[in-house]
Amino acid sequence: MSNLDRQPTPAVCGGRGFVVAEPVRELLTPRNVKLGTSTEVRRLLPNLGRRMVGAWCFVDHYGPEDIEGADGMQVAPHPHQGLQTVSWLHDGEVLHRDSLGSLATIRPRELGLMTSGRAISHSEQSPRGHGRYLHGAQLWVALPDSHRKVEPHFQHHARLPHVTAPGLTATVILGTLDGATSPGTAYTPIVGADLVLAADAEARLPLEPDFEYAVLAMSGEAEVDGVALLPGSMLYLGCGRTELPLRAISDAGLMLLGGEPFEEELIMWWNFIGRSQEDIEEARRDWMEGTRFGEVKGYEGAPIPAPALPPVALKPRGRTR
Ligand code: MN
């Protein structure tokens, strides 16, 4: 999905200053953002008080939305650089096309992983004849400096490894959880997992003490480390944990996001991640001039123009909490 905000605010992300070294329970409230004419999403990252969790730098939760007889998601071609996008559905389907010629229909609990590297563009749409409901999350992963200009590539993994315990099924989206590793390519130590809990289930997930973590609530009602979470909210958990207690009040769906704290400072603006004002200006110019980001063939309609850059300079400015 694209950041469709017409006046996107630059976010300065990364750096050790944001990271909480010990276990905490910090509830993040979402900002409601309108995408196009209908869909409303709840944006959890970047958040006023928290920009990243490991390399995870963008988290939108959308739906469940009844799109019967409607177009559903219609996001025209737009560019990305310096990041990976993860499409994750609990209901419905998304048709992905990109400038490499990829064409894929992503279904619930399948991984659509697009590595933009230096440049890519893509569109995302509810296909014709789509299902009644659309429910999912759109996540971005920042690429480290060593790999931020890799050749763009797209991966679709319909089968992902699972970890199970009584009342819990965890699907490993990215990285490794409890010895099970996703086939998705990761460029930093990271984990993403989808957690399905049956009502009344209690479980303890093994964690890496060097990682920071957060849990996004997708559906139902569950307690994470004793904190009750409702859908569309996210709990930041800090670092220094070896396990995470979970308890389901009802059948519940959660996403675990974690990783080694991302130490490089970066600038995120619109759909780009860069390391300097010049990086962002160049990306915007290249997209508007039709160079570098390629063309999404097969999409009917015009690409999304870049918004105007803010008048003030974008520069990493260290930490603000
Ligand atoms: Mn996108």
Side-chain angles (χ1 to χ4, degrees), residues 128-146:
R128 289 200 180 89
H130 60 71
R132 178 164 182 183
Y133 293 102
L134 182 62
H135 182 203
Q138 170 72 16
L139 310 106
W140 296 355
V141 177
L143 291 170
D145 198 47
S146 55

Side-chain angles (χ1 to χ4, degrees), residues 32-80:
N32 293 319
V33 181
K34 209 117 173 118
L35 285 192
T37 51
S38 61
T39 308
E40 191 170 76
V41 308
R42 287 163 294 282
R43 181 153 303 157
L44 283 313
L45 285 183
N47 201 295
L48 205 56
R50 186 146 300 283
R51 310 288 169 78
M52 296 178 81
V53 177
W56 299 100
C57 60
F58 185 94
V59 176
D60 271 356
H61 174 240
Y62 55 90
E65 188 182 4
D66 185 344
I67 58 169
E68 187 152 87
D71 290 342
M73 179 191 291
Q74 295 295 330
V75 182
H78 59 275
H80 288 291

Side-chain angles (χ1 to χ4, degrees), residues 54-259:
W56 299 100
C57 60
F58 185 94
V59 176
D60 271 356
H61 174 240
Y62 55 90
E65 188 182 4
D66 185 344
I67 58 169
E68 187 152 87
D71 290 342
M73 179 191 291
Q74 295 295 330
V75 182
H78 59 275
H80 288 291
Q81 77 163 17
L83 57 89
Q84 294 174 291
T85 65
V86 173
S87 301
W88 193 254
L89 289 170
H90 275 192
D91 210 346
E93 51 284 293
V94 170
L95 178 69
H96 164 98
R97 294 178 202 268
D98 65 40
S99 51
L100 307 173
S102 314
L103 177 64
T105 302
I106 313 296
R107 300 179 193 284
R109 295 188 171 83
E110 297 179 355
L111 173 62
L113 176 65
M114 185 179 80
T115 301
S116 76
R118 56 181 187 80
I120 202 167
S121 56
H122 71 149
S123 63
E124 291 159 293
Q125 299 169 274
S126 297
R128 289 200 180 89
H130 60 71
R132 178 164 182 183
Y133 293 102
L134 182 62
H135 182 203
Q138 170 72 16
L139 310 106
W140 296 355
V141 177
L143 291 170
D145 198 47
S146 55
H147 289 91
R148 69 189 177 102
K149 294 188 176 172
V150 294
E151 283 302 305
H153 58 103
F154 177 75
Q155 296 171 282
H156 178 197
H157 295 288
R159 295 173 64 88
L160 295 167
H162 293 106
V163 174
T164 56
L168 167 72
T169 300
T171 305
V172 188
I173 301 167
L174 211 54
T176 299
L177 179 70
D178 200 15
T181 301
S182 162
T185 304
Y187 294 91
T188 50
I190 195 169
V191 69
D194 182 90
L195 312 174
V196 176
L197 287 158
D200 300 323
E202 291 192 40
R204 300 180 91 84
L205 275 186
L207 300 186
E208 300 288 337
D210 295 343
F211 280 17
E212 57 178 343
Y213 289 94
V215 169
L216 168 67
M218 297 284 288
S219 62
E221 195 179 343
E223 284 179 9
V224 177
D225 195 18
V227 178
L229 287 188
L230 290 173
S233 60
M234 192 158 97
L235 187 69
Y236 176 72
L237 295 160
C239 302
R241 293 172 182 269
T242 54
E243 59 176 19
L244 182 63
L246 304 172
R247 191 168 83 88
I249 315 294
S250 66
D251 289 352
L254 305 170
M255 289 183 79
L256 175 75
L257 304 175

